[in-house]
Amino acid sequence: MQLSKAFGYGIRALLYIAQHHQEGQNIGLQDLAEQLNAPRHFLGKIMQELSKRGLVHSAKGPGGGFTLKEETLDLPVIKVVEAIDGLESFKKCAMGFEECSEDHPCPLHDTIKAYKNGLLQSLRTHTLRDMRHRLDKDETFLKEI
Amino acid sequence: MQLSKAFGYGIRALLYIAQHHQEGQNIGLQDLAEQLNAPRHFLGKIMQELSKRGLVHSAKGPGGGFTLKEETLDLPVIKVVEAIDGLESFKKCAMGFEECSEDHPCPLHDTIKAYKNGLLQSLRTHTLRDMRHRLDKDETFLKEI
DNA sequence: AAAATAAAAGATATTAAACTCTTTTATTTT
DNA sequence: AAAATAAAAGAGTTTAATATCTTTTATTTT
């Protein structure tokens, strides 16, 4: 019933970059990890994956680090879930029935489906920009964890 | 985004017992595990926990096995979740913020909360009896996995 | 009482997620 | 070109969930 910790680190990292990026500057992994209170190398893998998938740009060497790709702020949050956790867990039957489906639903199917669909819908419609906007109203997040 | 496998085995076991119990007879672990296609010893631990918590009665020796306690059929499903998985995961922030709360919600808080509460509500109101009733309409479940 | 049965209990193995450490590679600065 | 910086990459550790195997204990049947 839980998105992974990796997802939490990843989305917080994206939002941190969105908030703190200055023209021509990269946000270093070290900096990111400290600010988010996330394990540096674990976060490194997550950022690597986000880089492979084109959500961020990464630069090596001095002054290196991460910046958001242009289009990333307008991606729906579900794309971040997909990149980090995948969408498998949205498909599995909560009771463990292999044959559970729309046509042949388990006793919890509709209940769980309502939850999952609602959540999915919300993750599909909210963009990172929306989320940054909410955070901008509350500076205490992403800073003093 | 997922209840554990253990929960799946546990609730299916309870429902199997509810459906197949004959007066004065126990359902053996061996039988249960085969019918549910669940790993025997793993299921054993789960049944042990359900026994400790008073949801089932267990008997050792020849003819031993499990039966439902009287009141179990009228328990809400959430009690099974609680017994097997605990309720911790319902409380954690999806974004990993430690300080996320009603007063200080993360950007996903309200979204997630709405659907979580819906799910909880449903798990609180549906009893095992309800679920057995649904299964009774569809004999293909709990049998030919 | 002895043998058989079946769950309880305990120890161990496997897998995946979460996390750490070290080495390599690319880049920049001197 | 050499030194310094910082991410990429790879290997290893830890923890929790899942799964298996073995031994013990309680009960029943003979």
Side-chain angles (χ1 to χ4, degrees), chain B residues 28-29 45 48 58 60-62:
Chain B
L29 181 59
K45 308 274 161 144
Q48 231 177 85
S58 85
K60 290 184 176 183

Side-chain angles (χ1 to χ4, degrees), chain A residues 14 16 23 25 56 60 63 70 72 83 87 89 112 132 140:
Chain A
L14 291 173
Y16 182 88
E23 191 56 36
Q25 277 220 326
V56 298
K60 291 185 178 184
E70 274 304 314
T72 298
L87 299 179
S89 69
I112 301 271
R132 182 184 63 174
T140 59

Side-chain angles (χ1 to χ4, degrees), chain A residues 85-97:
Chain A
D85 287 346
L87 299 179
E88 273 314 297
S89 69
F90 284 92
K91 295 170 190 162
K92 284 191 206 145
C93 173
M95 292 183 68
F97 286 116

